[in-house]
CSV table of all heavy atoms in Angstrom, one decimal:
chain,number,residue,atom,x,y,z
A,1,MET,N,-139.3,145.8,41.4
A,1,MET,CA,-139.6,144.5,41.8
A,1,MET,C,-138.3,143.6,41.8
A,1,MET,O,-137.6,143.6,40.8
A,1,MET,CB,-140.6,143.9,40.9
A,1,MET,CG,-141.1,142.5,41.3
A,1,MET,SD,-142.4,141.8,40.2
A,1,MET,CE,-143.7,142.9,40.4
A,2,THR,N,-138.1,142.9,42.8
A,2,THR,CA,-136.9,142.0,42.9
A,2,THR,C,-137.1,140.8,42.1
A,2,THR,O,-138.2,140.4,41.8
A,2,THR,CB,-136.5,141.7,44.4
A,2,THR,OG1,-137.6,140.8,44.8
A,2,THR,CG2,-136.4,142.9,45.3
A,3,VAL,N,-136.0,140.1,41.8
A,3,VAL,CA,-136.0,138.8,41.1
A,3,VAL,C,-136.9,137.8,41.9
A,3,VAL,O,-137.7,137.1,41.3
A,3,VAL,CB,-134.6,138.3,40.8
A,3,VAL,CG1,-134.7,136.9,40.2
A,3,VAL,CG2,-133.9,139.2,39.8
A,4,THR,N,-136.6,137.7,43.2
A,4,THR,CA,-137.3,136.8,44.0
A,4,THR,C,-138.8,137.1,44.0
A,4,THR,O,-139.6,136.2,43.9
A,4,THR,CB,-136.8,136.8,45.5
A,4,THR,OG1,-135.4,136.5,45.4
A,4,THR,CG2,-137.5,135.9,46.4
A,5,GLU,N,-139.1,138.4,44.2
A,5,GLU,CA,-140.6,138.8,44.2
A,5,GLU,C,-141.2,138.4,42.9
A,5,GLU,O,-142.3,137.8,42.9
A,5,GLU,CB,-140.7,140.3,44.4
A,5,GLU,CG,-142.1,140.8,44.5
A,5,GLU,CD,-142.2,142.3,44.8
A,5,GLU,OE1,-141.1,143.0,44.8
A,5,GLU,OE2,-143.3,142.7,45.0
A,6,ARG,N,-140.6,138.6,41.8
A,6,ARG,CA,-141.1,138.3,40.5
A,6,ARG,C,-141.3,136.8,40.3
A,6,ARG,O,-142.3,136.3,39.9
A,6,ARG,CB,-140.2,138.8,39.3
A,6,ARG,CG,-140.7,138.6,37.9
A,6,ARG,CD,-139.8,139.2,36.9
A,6,ARG,NE,-139.7,140.6,37.1
A,6,ARG,CZ,-138.4,141.2,37.2
A,6,ARG,NH1,-137.4,140.5,37.1
A,6,ARG,NH2,-138.3,142.5,37.4
A,7,LYS,N,-140.3,136.0,40.8
A,7,LYS,CA,-140.4,134.5,40.7
A,7,LYS,C,-141.5,134.0,41.5
A,7,LYS,O,-142.3,133.1,41.1
A,7,LYS,CB,-139.1,133.9,41.0
A,7,LYS,CG,-138.0,134.1,40.0
A,7,LYS,CD,-136.8,133.3,40.3
A,7,LYS,CE,-135.8,133.6,39.2
A,7,LYS,NZ,-134.9,132.4,39.0
A,8,ILE,N,-141.7,134.5,42.8
A,8,ILE,CA,-142.7,134.0,43.7
A,8,ILE,C,-144.1,134.4,43.1
A,8,ILE,O,-145.0,133.6,43.1
A,8,ILE,CB,-142.6,134.6,45.1
A,8,ILE,CG1,-141.3,133.9,45.7
A,8,ILE,CG2,-143.8,134.3,45.9
A,8,ILE,CD1,-141.0,134.5,47.1
A,9,LYS,N,-144.2,135.6,42.5
A,9,LYS,CA,-145.5,136.0,42.0
A,9,LYS,C,-145.9,135.1,40.7
A,9,LYS,O,-147.0,134.8,40.6
A,9,LYS,CB,-145.5,137.5,41.6
A,9,LYS,CG,-145.6,138.4,42.9
A,9,LYS,CD,-145.7,139.8,42.5
A,9,LYS,CE,-145.8,140.6,43.8
A,9,LYS,NZ,-146.2,142.0,43.5
A,10,MET,N,-144.9,134.9,39.9
A,10,MET,CA,-145.1,134.0,38.7
A,10,MET,C,-145.5,132.6,39.2
A,10,MET,O,-146.4,132.0,38.6
A,10,MET,CB,-143.9,134.0,37.8
A,10,MET,CG,-143.7,135.3,37.1
A,10,MET,SD,-142.1,135.4,36.2
A,10,MET,CE,-142.0,133.9,35.3
A,11,ALA,N,-144.8,132.0,40.2
A,11,ALA,CA,-145.1,130.7,40.6
A,11,ALA,C,-146.5,130.6,41.3
A,11,ALA,O,-147.2,129.6,41.1
A,11,ALA,CB,-144.0,130.2,41.6
A,12,ALA,N,-146.8,131.7,42.0
A,12,ALA,CA,-148.1,131.7,42.6
A,12,ALA,C,-149.2,131.7,41.6
A,12,ALA,O,-150.2,131.0,41.7
A,12,ALA,CB,-148.3,132.9,43.5
A,13,ALA,N,-149.0,132.5,40.5
A,13,ALA,CA,-150.0,132.6,39.5
A,13,ALA,C,-150.1,131.3,38.7
A,13,ALA,O,-151.2,130.8,38.5
A,13,ALA,CB,-149.6,133.7,38.5
A,14,TYR,N,-149.0,130.6,38.5
A,14,TYR,CA,-149.0,129.3,37.9
A,14,TYR,C,-149.7,128.3,38.7
A,14,TYR,O,-150.5,127.5,38.1
A,14,TYR,CB,-147.5,128.9,37.6
A,14,TYR,CG,-147.4,127.5,36.9
A,14,TYR,CD1,-147.6,127.4,35.6
A,14,TYR,CD2,-147.2,126.4,37.7
A,14,TYR,CE1,-147.5,126.2,35.0
A,14,TYR,CE2,-147.1,125.2,37.1
A,14,TYR,CZ,-147.2,125.1,35.7
A,14,TYR,OH,-147.1,123.8,35.1
A,15,SER,N,-149.5,128.3,40.0
A,15,SER,CA,-150.2,127.3,40.9
A,15,SER,C,-151.6,127.7,41.2
A,15,SER,O,-152.3,126.8,41.8
A,15,SER,CB,-149.3,127.1,42.1
A,15,SER,OG,-149.5,128.3,43.0
A,16,GLY,N,-152.0,128.9,41.0
A,16,GLY,CA,-153.3,129.4,41.3
A,16,GLY,C,-153.5,129.7,42.8
A,16,GLY,O,-154.6,129.8,43.3
A,17,MET,N,-152.4,129.9,43.5
A,17,MET,CA,-152.5,130.3,44.9
A,17,MET,C,-152.3,131.8,45.1
A,17,MET,O,-151.5,132.4,44.4
A,17,MET,CB,-151.5,129.6,45.8
A,17,MET,CG,-151.8,128.1,46.0
A,17,MET,SD,-150.5,127.3,47.0
A,17,MET,CE,-151.0,127.9,48.6
A,18,SER,N,-153.0,132.4,46.1
A,18,SER,CA,-152.7,133.8,46.4
A,18,SER,C,-151.5,133.9,47.4
A,18,SER,O,-151.1,132.9,48.0
A,18,SER,CB,-154.0,134.4,47.1
A,18,SER,OG,-154.1,133.9,48.4
A,19,GLN,N,-151.0,135.1,47.5
A,19,GLN,CA,-149.9,135.3,48.4
A,19,GLN,C,-150.3,135.0,49.8
A,19,GLN,O,-149.6,134.4,50.6
A,19,GLN,CB,-149.4,136.7,48.3
A,19,GLN,CG,-148.6,137.0,47.0
A,19,GLN,CD,-148.1,138.4,47.0
A,19,GLN,OE1,-147.7,139.0,48.0
A,19,GLN,NE2,-148.0,138.9,45.8
A,20,ALA,N,-151.6,135.3,50.2
A,20,ALA,CA,-152.1,135.1,51.5
A,20,ALA,C,-152.2,133.6,51.8
A,20,ALA,O,-151.8,133.1,52.9
A,20,ALA,CB,-153.5,135.7,51.7
A,21,GLU,N,-152.6,132.8,50.8
A,21,GLU,CA,-152.7,131.3,50.9
A,21,GLU,C,-151.3,130.7,51.1
A,21,GLU,O,-151.1,129.8,51.9
A,21,GLU,CB,-153.3,130.7,49.7
A,21,GLU,CG,-154.8,131.0,49.6
A,21,GLU,CD,-155.4,130.6,48.3
A,21,GLU,OE1,-154.8,130.7,47.2
A,21,GLU,OE2,-156.5,130.0,48.3
A,22,ILE,N,-150.3,131.2,50.3
A,22,ILE,CA,-149.0,130.8,50.5
A,22,ILE,C,-148.5,131.1,51.9
A,22,ILE,O,-147.9,130.2,52.6
A,22,ILE,CB,-148.0,131.4,49.5
A,22,ILE,CG1,-148.4,131.0,48.0
A,22,ILE,CG2,-146.6,131.0,49.7
A,22,ILE,CD1,-147.8,131.9,47.0
A,23,ALA,N,-148.6,132.3,52.3
A,23,ALA,CA,-148.2,132.7,53.6
A,23,ALA,C,-148.7,131.8,54.7
A,23,ALA,O,-148.0,131.3,55.6
A,23,ALA,CB,-148.6,134.2,53.9
A,24,ARG,N,-150.0,131.6,54.7
A,24,ARG,CA,-150.7,130.8,55.7
A,24,ARG,C,-150.2,129.3,55.7
A,24,ARG,O,-150.0,128.7,56.7
A,24,ARG,CB,-152.2,130.8,55.6
A,24,ARG,CG,-152.8,132.2,56.0
A,24,ARG,CD,-154.3,132.2,56.0
A,24,ARG,NE,-154.8,133.5,56.1
A,24,ARG,CZ,-155.2,134.2,55.0
A,24,ARG,NH1,-155.3,133.7,53.8
A,24,ARG,NH2,-155.7,135.5,55.2
A,25,SER,N,-149.9,128.8,54.5
A,25,SER,CA,-149.5,127.4,54.3
A,25,SER,C,-148.1,127.2,54.9
A,25,SER,O,-147.7,126.1,55.2
A,25,SER,CB,-149.6,127.0,52.9
A,25,SER,OG,-148.6,127.6,52.1
A,26,ILE,N,-147.3,128.3,55.0
A,26,ILE,CA,-146.0,128.1,55.5
A,26,ILE,C,-145.9,128.7,57.0
A,26,ILE,O,-144.8,128.8,57.5
A,26,ILE,CB,-144.9,128.7,54.6
A,26,ILE,CG1,-145.0,130.3,54.5
A,26,ILE,CG2,-144.9,128.1,53.3
A,26,ILE,CD1,-143.8,131.0,53.9
A,27,GLY,N,-147.0,129.0,57.6
A,27,GLY,CA,-147.1,129.4,58.9
A,27,GLY,C,-146.6,130.9,59.1
A,27,GLY,O,-146.1,131.2,60.2
A,28,MET,N,-146.9,131.7,58.2
A,28,MET,CA,-146.5,133.1,58.2
A,28,MET,C,-147.8,134.0,58.0
A,28,MET,O,-148.7,133.6,57.3
A,28,MET,CB,-145.5,133.4,57.1
A,28,MET,CG,-144.8,134.7,57.2
A,28,MET,SD,-143.6,134.9,55.8
A,28,MET,CE,-142.3,133.7,56.3
A,29,SER,N,-147.8,135.1,58.6
A,29,SER,CA,-149.0,136.0,58.4
A,29,SER,C,-148.9,136.6,57.0
A,29,SER,O,-147.7,136.8,56.5
A,29,SER,CB,-149.0,137.1,59.4
A,29,SER,OG,-148.0,138.1,59.1
A,30,PRO,N,-150.0,136.9,56.3
A,30,PRO,CA,-149.9,137.5,55.0
A,30,PRO,C,-149.2,138.8,55.0
A,30,PRO,O,-148.4,139.1,54.1
A,30,PRO,CB,-151.4,137.7,54.6
A,30,PRO,CG,-152.1,136.6,55.3
A,30,PRO,CD,-151.4,136.5,56.6
A,31,SER,N,-149.3,139.6,56.1
A,31,SER,CA,-148.6,140.9,56.2
A,31,SER,C,-147.1,140.7,56.2
A,31,SER,O,-146.4,141.4,55.5
A,31,SER,CB,-149.1,141.6,57.4
A,31,SER,OG,-148.4,142.8,57.6
A,32,ASN,N,-146.6,139.7,57.1
A,32,ASN,CA,-145.2,139.5,57.2
A,32,ASN,C,-144.7,138.9,55.8
A,32,ASN,O,-143.6,139.3,55.4
A,32,ASN,CB,-144.9,138.5,58.3
A,32,ASN,CG,-143.5,138.3,58.6
A,32,ASN,OD1,-142.7,139.3,58.5
A,32,ASN,ND2,-143.1,137.1,59.0
A,33,PHE,N,-145.4,138.1,55.2
A,33,PHE,CA,-145.0,137.5,53.9
A,33,PHE,C,-144.8,138.7,52.9
A,33,PHE,O,-143.8,138.7,52.2
A,33,PHE,CB,-146.1,136.5,53.4
A,33,PHE,CG,-145.7,135.8,52.1
A,33,PHE,CD1,-145.0,134.6,52.2
A,33,PHE,CD2,-146.1,136.3,50.9
A,33,PHE,CE1,-144.7,134.0,51.0
A,33,PHE,CE2,-145.8,135.7,49.7
A,33,PHE,CZ,-145.1,134.5,49.8
A,34,SER,N,-145.8,139.6,52.8
A,34,SER,CA,-145.7,140.7,51.9
A,34,SER,C,-144.5,141.6,52.2
A,34,SER,O,-143.8,142.0,51.2
A,34,SER,CB,-147.0,141.5,52.0
A,34,SER,OG,-147.0,142.6,51.1
A,35,GLN,N,-144.2,141.8,53.4
A,35,GLN,CA,-143.1,142.6,53.8
A,35,GLN,C,-141.8,142.0,53.4
A,35,GLN,O,-140.9,142.6,52.9
A,35,GLN,CB,-143.1,143.0,55.3
A,35,GLN,CG,-144.2,144.0,55.6
A,35,GLN,CD,-144.0,145.3,54.9
A,35,GLN,OE1,-143.0,145.9,54.8
A,35,GLN,NE2,-145.1,145.7,54.3
A,36,LYS,N,-141.7,140.7,53.7
A,36,LYS,CA,-140.5,139.9,53.3
A,36,LYS,C,-140.3,139.9,51.8
A,36,LYS,O,-139.2,139.9,51.3
A,36,LYS,CB,-140.5,138.5,53.9
A,36,LYS,CG,-140.3,138.5,55.4
A,36,LYS,CD,-140.3,137.1,55.9
A,36,LYS,CE,-139.1,136.3,55.7
A,36,LYS,NZ,-137.9,136.6,56.4
A,37,LEU,N,-141.4,139.8,51.1
A,37,LEU,CA,-141.4,139.8,49.6
A,37,LEU,C,-140.8,141.1,49.1
A,37,LEU,O,-139.9,141.1,48.2
A,37,LEU,CB,-142.8,139.5,49.1
A,37,LEU,CG,-143.0,139.2,47.6
A,37,LEU,CD1,-142.2,137.9,47.2
A,37,LEU,CD2,-144.4,139.0,47.3
A,38,LYS,N,-141.3,142.2,49.6
A,38,LYS,CA,-140.9,143.5,49.2
A,38,LYS,C,-139.4,143.8,49.5
A,38,LYS,O,-138.7,144.4,48.8
A,38,LYS,CB,-141.7,144.6,49.8
A,38,LYS,CG,-143.1,144.6,49.2
A,38,LYS,CD,-144.0,145.7,49.8
A,38,LYS,CE,-145.4,145.6,49.3
A,38,LYS,NZ,-146.3,146.5,49.9
A,39,ARG,N,-138.9,143.3,50.7
A,39,ARG,CA,-137.6,143.5,51.1
A,39,ARG,C,-136.6,142.4,50.6
A,39,ARG,O,-135.4,142.6,50.7
A,39,ARG,CB,-137.5,143.5,52.7
A,39,ARG,CG,-138.2,144.7,53.3
A,39,ARG,CD,-137.9,144.7,54.8
A,39,ARG,NE,-138.2,143.4,55.5
A,39,ARG,CZ,-139.2,143.2,56.2
A,39,ARG,NH1,-140.1,144.2,56.5
A,39,ARG,NH2,-139.4,142.0,56.8
A,40,ASP,N,-137.2,141.4,50.0
A,40,ASP,CA,-136.3,140.3,49.5
A,40,ASP,C,-135.5,139.7,50.6
A,40,ASP,O,-134.3,139.5,50.4
A,40,ASP,CB,-135.5,140.8,48.3
A,40,ASP,CG,-134.8,139.6,47.5
A,40,ASP,OD1,-135.3,138.5,47.6
A,40,ASP,OD2,-133.9,139.9,46.8
A,41,THR,N,-136.2,139.3,51.7
A,41,THR,CA,-135.4,138.7,52.8
A,41,THR,C,-135.8,137.3,53.2
A,41,THR,O,-135.7,136.8,54.3
A,41,THR,CB,-135.7,139.6,54.1
A,41,THR,OG1,-137.1,139.7,54.3
A,41,THR,CG2,-135.1,141.0,53.9
A,42,PHE,N,-136.3,136.5,52.2
A,42,PHE,CA,-136.6,135.1,52.4
A,42,PHE,C,-135.3,134.3,52.6
A,42,PHE,O,-134.4,134.5,51.8
A,42,PHE,CB,-137.5,134.5,51.3
A,42,PHE,CG,-138.9,135.0,51.3
A,42,PHE,CD1,-139.4,135.9,50.3
A,42,PHE,CD2,-139.8,134.6,52.3
A,42,PHE,CE1,-140.7,136.3,50.3
A,42,PHE,CE2,-141.1,135.0,52.3
A,42,PHE,CZ,-141.5,135.9,51.3
A,43,THR,N,-135.3,133.4,53.5
A,43,THR,CA,-134.2,132.5,53.7
A,43,THR,C,-134.3,131.4,52.7
A,43,THR,O,-135.4,131.1,52.2
A,43,THR,CB,-134.1,132.0,55.1
A,43,THR,OG1,-135.3,131.1,55.3
A,43,THR,CG2,-134.1,133.0,56.2
A,44,PRO,N,-133.2,130.7,52.5
A,44,PRO,CA,-133.3,129.5,51.6
A,44,PRO,C,-134.3,128.5,52.1
A,44,PRO,O,-135.1,127.9,51.3
A,44,PRO,CB,-131.9,128.9,51.6
A,44,PRO,CG,-131.0,130.1,51.8
A,44,PRO,CD,-131.8,131.0,52.8
A,45,ASP,N,-134.4,128.3,53.4
A,45,ASP,CA,-135.4,127.4,54.0
A,45,ASP,C,-136.8,127.9,53.7
A,45,ASP,O,-137.7,127.1,53.3
A,45,ASP,CB,-135.2,127.2,55.5
A,45,ASP,CG,-136.2,126.3,56.1
A,45,ASP,OD1,-136.2,125.1,55.7
A,45,ASP,OD2,-137.0,126.8,57.0
A,46,GLU,N,-137.1,129.2,53.8
A,46,GLU,CA,-138.4,129.7,53.5
A,46,GLU,C,-138.7,129.5,52.0
A,46,GLU,O,-139.9,129.2,51.6
A,46,GLU,CB,-138.5,131.2,53.9
A,46,GLU,CG,-138.5,131.4,55.4
A,46,GLU,CD,-138.3,132.8,55.8
A,46,GLU,OE1,-137.7,133.6,55.1
A,46,GLU,OE2,-138.9,133.2,56.9
A,47,MET,N,-137.7,129.7,51.1
A,47,MET,CA,-138.0,129.5,49.7
A,47,MET,C,-138.3,128.1,49.4
A,47,MET,O,-139.2,127.8,48.6
A,47,MET,CB,-136.7,129.9,48.9
A,47,MET,CG,-136.5,131.4,48.9
A,47,MET,SD,-137.8,132.4,48.3
A,47,MET,CE,-137.8,132.0,46.5
A,48,GLU,N,-137.7,127.1,50.1
A,48,GLU,CA,-138.0,125.7,49.9
A,48,GLU,C,-139.5,125.4,50.4
A,48,GLU,O,-140.2,124.7,49.7
A,48,GLU,CB,-137.0,124.9,50.7
A,48,GLU,CG,-135.7,124.8,50.0
A,48,GLU,CD,-134.6,124.1,50.8
A,48,GLU,OE1,-135.0,123.4,51.8
A,48,GLU,OE2,-133.4,124.2,50.5
A,49,ARG,N,-139.8,126.0,51.5
A,49,ARG,CA,-141.2,125.8,52.0
A,49,ARG,C,-142.2,126.5,51.1
A,49,ARG,O,-143.3,125.9,50.9
A,49,ARG,CB,-141.3,126.4,53.5
A,49,ARG,CG,-140.5,125.5,54.4
A,49,ARG,CD,-140.6,125.9,55.9
A,49,ARG,NE,-141.5,127.0,56.3
A,49,ARG,CZ,-141.1,128.0,57.0
A,49,ARG,NH1,-139.9,128.1,57.5
A,49,ARG,NH2,-142.0,129.0,57.4
A,50,ILE,N,-141.9,127.6,50.5
A,50,ILE,CA,-142.8,128.3,49.6
A,50,ILE,C,-143.0,127.4,48.4
A,50,ILE,O,-144.1,127.1,47.9
A,50,ILE,CB,-142.3,129.7,49.2
A,50,ILE,CG1,-142.4,130.6,50.4
A,50,ILE,CG2,-143.1,130.2,48.0
A,50,ILE,CD1,-141.7,131.9,50.2
A,51,ALA,N,-141.9,126.9,47.8
A,51,ALA,CA,-142.0,126.0,46.7
A,51,ALA,C,-142.8,124.8,47.0
A,51,ALA,O,-143.6,124.3,46.1
A,51,ALA,CB,-140.6,125.6,46.2
A,52,GLU,N,-142.6,124.2,48.1
A,52,GLU,CA,-143.4,123.0,48.5
A,52,GLU,C,-144.9,123.3,48.6
A,52,GLU,O,-145.7,122.5,48.1
A,52,GLU,CB,-142.9,122.5,49.8
A,52,GLU,CG,-143.5,121.2,50.3
A,52,GLU,CD,-142.9,120.6,51.6
A,52,GLU,OE1,-141.7,120.5,51.6
A,52,GLU,OE2,-143.7,120.3,52.5
A,53,ALA,N,-145.2,124.5,49.2
A,53,ALA,CA,-146.6,124.9,49.3
A,53,ALA,C,-147.2,125.0,47.9
A,53,ALA,O,-148.4,124.8,47.7
A,53,ALA,CB,-146.7,126.2,50.1
A,54,LEU,N,-146.4,125.5,46.9
A,54,LEU,CA,-146.9,125.7,45.6
A,54,LEU,C,-146.9,124.4,44.8
A,54,LEU,O,-147.3,124.4,43.6
A,54,LEU,CB,-146.0,126.7,44.9
A,54,LEU,CG,-146.1,128.1,45.4
A,54,LEU,CD1,-145.0,129.0,44.8
A,54,LEU,CD2,-147.5,128.7,45.2
A,55,GLY,N,-146.4,123.3,45.3
A,55,GLY,CA,-146.3,122.0,44.6
A,55,GLY,C,-145.1,121.9,43.8
A,55,GLY,O,-145.1,121.1,42.9
A,56,GLY,N,-144.1,122.7,44.1
A,56,GLY,CA,-142.9,122.6,43.2
A,56,GLY,C,-141.6,122.4,44.1
A,56,GLY,O,-141.7,121.9,45.2
A,57,LYS,N,-140.5,122.7,43.5
A,57,LYS,CA,-139.2,122.5,44.2
A,57,LYS,C,-138.4,123.8,43.9
A,57,LYS,O,-138.3,124.3,42.8
A,57,LYS,CB,-138.6,121.3,43.6
A,57,LYS,CG,-137.2,120.9,44.2
A,57,LYS,CD,-136.8,119.6,43.7
A,57,LYS,CE,-135.5,119.7,43.0
A,57,LYS,NZ,-135.0,118.4,42.5
A,58,TRP,N,-137.7,124.3,45.0
A,58,TRP,CA,-136.8,125.4,44.8
A,58,TRP,C,-135.4,125.0,44.6
A,58,TRP,O,-134.8,124.2,45.4
A,58,TRP,CB,-136.9,126.3,46.1
A,58,TRP,CG,-135.9,127.5,46.0
A,58,TRP,CD1,-134.8,127.6,46.8
A,58,TRP,CD2,-136.0,128.6,45.2
A,58,TRP,NE1,-134.2,128.8,46.5
A,58,TRP,CE2,-134.9,129.4,45.5
A,58,TRP,CE3,-136.9,129.0,44.2
A,58,TRP,CZ2,-134.7,130.6,44.9
A,58,TRP,CZ3,-136.7,130.3,43.6
A,58,TRP,CH2,-135.6,131.0,43.9
A,59,VAL,N,-134.8,125.4,43.4
A,59,VAL,CA,-133.4,125.1,43.1
A,59,VAL,C,-132.7,126.4,42.7
A,59,VAL,O,-133.0,126.9,41.7
A,59,VAL,CB,-133.4,124.1,41.9
A,59,VAL,CG1,-132.0,123.7,41.6
A,59,VAL,CG2,-134.2,122.8,42.2
A,60,ALA,N,-131.9,126.8,43.6
A,60,ALA,CA,-131.1,128.1,43.3
A,60,ALA,C,-129.7,127.8,43.3
A,60,ALA,O,-129.0,127.3,44.2
A,60,ALA,CB,-131.4,129.1,44.5
A,61,ARG,N,-129.1,128.0,42.1
A,61,ARG,CA,-127.7,127.7,41.9
A,61,ARG,C,-127.2,128.3,40.6
A,61,ARG,O,-127.9,128.7,39.7
A,61,ARG,CB,-127.4,126.2,41.9
A,61,ARG,CG,-128.1,125.5,40.7
A,61,ARG,CD,-127.8,124.0,40.7
A,61,ARG,NE,-128.5,123.4,39.6
A,61,ARG,CZ,-129.3,122.3,39.8
A,61,ARG,NH1,-129.4,121.8,40.9
A,61,ARG,NH2,-129.9,121.8,38.7
A,62,PHE,N,-125.9,128.4,40.5
A,62,PHE,CA,-125.2,128.8,39.3
A,62,PHE,C,-124.8,127.5,38.6
A,62,PHE,O,-124.3,126.6,39.2
A,62,PHE,CB,-123.9,129.6,39.5
A,62,PHE,CG,-124.2,131.0,40.2
A,62,PHE,CD1,-124.1,131.2,41.5
A,62,PHE,CD2,-124.6,132.0,39.4
A,62,PHE,CE1,-124.4,132.4,42.1
A,62,PHE,CE2,-124.9,133.2,39.9
A,62,PHE,CZ,-124.8,133.4,41.3
A,63,GLU,N,-125.0,127.4,37.3
A,63,GLU,CA,-124.6,126.3,36.5
A,63,GLU,C,-123.6,126.7,35.4
A,63,GLU,O,-123.9,127.7,34.7
A,63,GLU,CB,-125.8,125.5,35.9
A,63,GLU,CG,-126.6,124.9,36.9
A,63,GLU,CD,-127.8,124.1,36.3
A,63,GLU,OE1,-128.0,124.2,35.1
A,63,GLU,OE2,-128.5,123.5,37.1
A,64,PHE,N,-122.5,126.0,35.2
A,64,PHE,CA,-121.5,126.3,34.3
A,64,PHE,C,-121.4,125.3,33.2
A,64,PHE,O,-121.9,124.2,33.3
A,64,PHE,CB,-120.1,126.4,35.0
A,64,PHE,CG,-120.1,127.5,36.0
A,64,PHE,CD1,-120.4,127.3,37.3
A,64,PHE,CD2,-119.6,128.8,35.6
A,64,PHE,CE1,-120.4,128.3,38.2
A,64,PHE,CE2,-119.6,129.8,36.5
A,64,PHE,CZ,-120.0,129.6,37.9
A,65,PRO,N,-120.9,125.7,32.0
A,65,PRO,CA,-120.9,124.8,30.8
A,65,PRO,C,-120.3,123.5,31.1
A,65,PRO,O,-120.6,122.5,30.5
A,65,PRO,CB,-120.1,125.6,29.8
A,65,PRO,CG,-120.4,127.0,30.1
A,65,PRO,CD,-120.4,127.0,31.6
A,66,ASP,N,-119.3,123.4,32.0
A,66,ASP,CA,-118.6,122.1,32.3
A,66,ASP,C,-119.4,121.2,33.2
A,66,ASP,O,-119.0,120.2,33.6
A,66,ASP,CB,-117.2,122.3,32.8
A,66,ASP,CG,-117.2,123.0,34.2
A,66,ASP,OD1,-118.3,123.3,34.8
A,66,ASP,OD2,-116.1,123.2,34.7
A,67,GLY,N,-120.6,121.7,33.6
A,67,GLY,CA,-121.5,120.9,34.5
A,67,GLY,C,-121.4,121.2,35.9
A,67,GLY,O,-122.1,120.7,36.8
A,68,THR,N,-120.4,122.1,36.3
A,68,THR,CA,-120.3,122.5,37.7
A,68,THR,C,-121.5,123.3,38.1
A,68,THR,O,-121.9,124.2,37.4
A,68,THR,CB,-119.0,123.4,37.8
A,68,THR,OG1,-117.9,122.6,37.4
A,68,THR,CG2,-118.8,123.8,39.3
A,69,ALA,N,-122.0,123.0,39.3
A,69,ALA,CA,-123.1,123.7,39.9
A,69,ALA,C,-122.7,124.2,41.3
A,69,ALA,O,-122.2,123.4,42.1
A,69,ALA,CB,-124.3,122.8,40.0
A,70,ILE,N,-122.9,125.5,41.5
A,70,ILE,CA,-122.6,126.1,42.8
A,70,ILE,C,-123.8,126.7,43.4
A,70,ILE,O,-124.5,127.5,42.7
A,70,ILE,CB,-121.5,127.1,42.6
A,70,ILE,CG1,-120.2,126.5,42.0
A,70,ILE,CG2,-121.2,127.8,43.9
A,70,ILE,CD1,-119.1,127.4,41.6
């Protein structure tokens, strides 16, 4: 299981939405969503849309002790 897959599954469980519900809410078929999940091929835009559908926010970055975020 990829890190992205694990995070999406955990967020879905937290929000109470199924993968099929998430897929439909972002305009994707459940089958396509499942395949992208297994291949770990979601774009940053798709991750933002997934987070929005779940009622959250997607923030992907590296943070360093001096406060630098990349």
Side-chain angles (χ1 to χ4, degrees):
M1 183 180 298
T2 68
V3 172
T4 302
E5 183 177 7
R6 186 175 303 125
K7 287 184 180 214
I8 290 173
K9 287 184 176 190
M10 288 171 49
Y14 180 80
S15 70
M17 287 183 77
S18 71
Q19 289 181 33
E21 290 171 319
I22 298 167
R24 289 186 195 100
S25 72
I26 65 168
M28 190 179 290
S29 73
S31 175
N32 189 34
F33 185 89
S34 179
Q35 289 302 311
K36 288 181 75 74
L37 192 59
K38 289 178 185 174
R39 290 189 309 254
D40 194 16
T41 57
F42 287 109
T43 66
D45 180 60
E46 288 170 330
M47 291 300 291
E48 289 174 10
R49 291 185 1 232
I50 291 167
E52 186 177 308
L54 293 170
K57 182 172 121 179
W58 176 250
V59 181
R61 64 178 176 232
F62 293 100
E63 293 182 353
F64 296 89
D66 68 358
T68 300
I70 299 173

